[in-house]
Amino acid sequence: MHEVGLMQAALAIALDQAAAQGASKIHALELHVGQQSGVMPAALAFAFGVVSAGTAAAGAELRLTSIPVRCYCSLCQREFQPADWIYECPDCHGLSTDIRQGQTLELASLEVS
Ligand SMILES: [Zn+2]
């Protein structure tokens, strides 16, 4: 389950940011989950419970926001949101391999005190 590793990495960033702000407790974390990141939200929530135990983020609320995939068509010089798993440009019907958004897991915001 690679969600544990991803969650560990996201939590490490969150704990660093909280420490940098002089906070001792993380109340909520918002993560942006790319639709093509391969991350299962339920697995991520479970992983969070495991990796946050005993840290400043224990018991924090985990908010997950799904981020749609966006591709770039170099021919039309525009970004588009593919309708399917096939990244076909709606204008020229070329296939894009340039994915600009939706492949990563990112820490979006934190609530600390
Ligand atoms: Zn195109």
Side-chain angles (χ1 to χ4, degrees):
M1 199 166 77
H2 78 148
E3 280 82 358
V4 173
L6 290 169
M7 197 62 239
Q8 252 165 355
L11 180 64
I13 294 167
L15 291 171
D16 273 359
Q17 288 189 5
Q21 291 175 41
S24 57
K25 179 84 188 134
I26 296 175
H27 298 282
L29 298 93
E30 183 187 355
L31 296 179
H32 283 177
V33 184
Q35 283 177 354
Q36 216 224 1
S37 62
V39 173
M40 301 283 291
L44 203 57
F46 174 79
F48 178 68
V50 174
V51 301
S52 67
T55 73
E61 183 191 345
L62 184 66
R63 296 179 195 138
L64 302 175
T65 303
S66 185
I67 303 298
V69 175
R70 284 194 74 81
C71 301
Y72 181 77
C73 177
S74 53
L75 204 65
C76 305
Q77 299 194 338
R78 57 166 282 191
E79 281 189 22
F80 64 94
Q81 190 174 324
D84 210 332
W85 294 106
I86 299 165
Y87 302 142
E88 184 184 300
C89 173
D91 289 336
C92 69
H93 301 286
L95 293 181
S96 172
T97 52
D98 190 354
I99 298 156
R100 294 285 169 94
Q101 180 188 290
Q103 283 193 306
T104 58
L105 177 72
E106 281 172 11
L107 179 67
S109 68
L110 271 183
E111 279 174 32
V112 299
S113 68

